Amino acid sequence: MSRTRPPAARTSARPSLPYRLRRALLACCAGLALVLGALAASPVPAQAAGSRPCDIYAAAGTPCVAAHSTVRALYSGYGGSLYQVTRASDGATRDIGVLTTGGYADAAAQDAFCAATSCAITKIYDQSPRHNDLTVEGAGTQGLADHGAPASALPVTVGGHRAYGVLVTPGTGYRHTDAAGVAVNGQAESMYMVASGTHVNGGCCFDYGNAEHTVDDTGNGHMDAVYIGDRCHDAPCTGSGPWVAADLENGLYQGSGNNPANLGNSSPFVTALLKNDGQTTFALKGGNSQSGALSTWWHGALPSGGYTPMQQEGSIVLGTGGDNSNRAVGSFFEGVMTSGFATDAADNAVQADIVAAGYTGDPAGNQGTTITGPGSKCVDVAGDDVGVDHAAVQLWDCQSYAVDQHWVHNPDNSLETLGRCLDIAGNGTADGTKVQLWDCNGVGGQVWVQQSDGSLLNPQSGRCLDSPSGATANGTRLQIWDCNGANAQKFHLN
């Protein structure tokens, strides 16, 4: 979707790798029937051959044409790379693969490569034979060029293994133009993503799916992407969301018009699913990715007004609208797109596999602690969870959902949020030097030691984190100043 962007959730003025599909050959033996009978009577194990989402869809006649995840393999036979990270300190890159074929991400490889600096996710590999890899999206008619997500900002546990999701904040987005095998001109397709129901806003548009050839709005029916967020396009909507909807361009549709029957999905992890026959009919489903089945929110007519038939253009987008409308927030863990309108039985089996994967953790990226300062305001990053280099660090009303108000106190006494560290501009030492976010690099200007009087001391400069003149207004830019015990220098790690 595109057009006018709504305010962000915080109402302020703040600023190809080869694919390998290995299928084990089962030797025939006299007891084969007994073995198969025993397997049929037992629960399907999480690592069972053929049980991954793309195995399931292929067996149902709707094979994956795109499969993206930073946390696990989406084919039981996939043993390649999941994503690529780029290191801030020297621009070097590293592909992050799976621990075992068909298994989970090798997060330790990322941790080692990105130690003492920060990394961004700059490519998400397509596990399907189509090689539709996602790279950071360029400028569009509704947004400047995007940046990659901080690689360490969204730690979760999947299948008992540490992994990292894709934390989408305003200005984050990925794209593959003219993807091979993806539906065009009214062809049928299906897609799902595992996202979060707790890290959302009303900005346009946290999408995964089919988008335009150009980064532009080319008209109704030229997109076909699954969305989750709390934007209500056709009122009335039930509750406050977030809702799973279809971004069909110039409309986030919960049905062919408004659909009060869509009750929303607010669980920490959400399976959001869209199917479209490209001619007359689409379906929307949502469910808790940690337990239970999918709910069908709509299975009926496509909207009128240019959507019958659809006119998809066959690119893939993640985190933004088709024209790079990039004011949304969201958390992405895995998603696939298929050729054809998938069966309900396949959807149900995919949901069962997602639940079996065992997602746990905070899918909003709110690891760490808040830091309260003067006026009981929180230490916050300007720009509503953007978190780029040079982003100002300031005071703001404390908000439990704000990722950029949660700081990790690292063993080297740095304070980190959104994959970057609290830093003194220019590694300065003079009174009044402003603080900012910068790539974690171990310099003296990123060391903060809590003192007994409640101040945060930077040993290199001998000065303390300070609010100028003790100001408490939202947006007050923080600095360093001679340590003096004043309330302007009381900052408490909660």
Side-chain angles (χ1 to χ4, degrees), residues 88-229:
S89 58
D90 59 3
T93 62
R94 172 71 183 266
D95 291 336
I96 307 301
V98 290
L99 292 166
T100 59
T101 298
Y104 301 93
D106 184 3
Q110 175 184 309
D111 293 339
F113 181 73
C114 301
T117 184
S118 57
C119 287
I121 297 172
T122 47
K123 182 182 290 187
I124 305 172
Y125 288 104
D126 177 17
Q127 300 175 31
S128 87
R130 301 291 185 164
H131 304 294
N132 292 318
D133 305 333
L134 297 174
T135 55
V136 177
E137 187 169 16
T141 57
Q142 290 296 319
L144 299 176
D146 291 323
H147 53 78
S152 62
L154 191 51
V156 293
T157 300
V158 187
H161 300 274
R162 180 177 174 86
Y164 294 101
V166 182
L167 185 71
V168 172
T169 59
T172 305
Y174 299 86
R175 197 180 192 96
H176 186 107
T177 302
D178 297 337
V182 173
V184 295
N185 299 323
Q187 293 175 329
E189 63 182 340
S190 305
M191 65 202 71
Y192 82 84
M193 65 175 167
V194 173
S196 172
T198 56
H199 183 220
V200 295
N201 70 357
C204 183
C205 287
F206 185 66
D207 291 341
Y208 174 70
N210 199 323
E212 289 93 341
H213 164 72
T214 56
V215 191
D216 194 6
D217 176 353
T218 55
N220 295 2
H222 287 250
M223 281 191 70
D224 185 29
V226 63
Y227 161 91
I228 185 170

Side-chain angles (χ1 to χ4, degrees), residues 273-298:
L273 189 149
L274 165 65
K275 304 191 289 189
N276 192 334
D277 74 358
Q279 300 298 310
T280 62
T281 303
F282 78 116
L284 289 167
K285 300 181 182 183
N288 186 337
S289 302
Q290 295 177 295
S291 65
L294 296 168
S295 297
T296 299
W297 298 127
W298 180 260

Side-chain angles (χ1 to χ4, degrees), residues 10 14-15 147 150 169-170 379-395 404-405 407 415 417-426 433-440 445-446 448 465 475-479:
R10 283 188 257 173
R14 298 169 52 184
H147 53 78
T169 59
V379 177
D380 173 279
V381 180
D384 200 9
D385 292 344
V386 174
V388 296
D389 282 338
H390 296 296
V393 176
Q394 61 186 10
L395 294 178
D404 59 6
Q405 291 182 1
W407 299 81
L415 290 165
T417 188
L418 296 173
R420 289 179 167 83
C421 282
L422 177 64
D423 174 274
I424 301 172
T433 306
K434 302 301 184 184
V435 296
Q436 61 181 12
L437 273 197
W438 193 260
D439 301 321
C440 300
Q446 295 182 355
W448 305 94
L465 188 65
T476 299
R477 180 79 182 269
L478 300 179
Q479 61 181 12

Side-chain angles (χ1 to χ4, degrees), residues 7 9 200-203 227-233 237 240-243 252 254:
V200 295
N201 70 357
Y227 161 91
I228 185 170
D230 54 22
R231 183 184 179 98
C232 179
H233 179 73
C237 297
S240 57
W243 302 281
L252 291 173
Q254 298 183 26

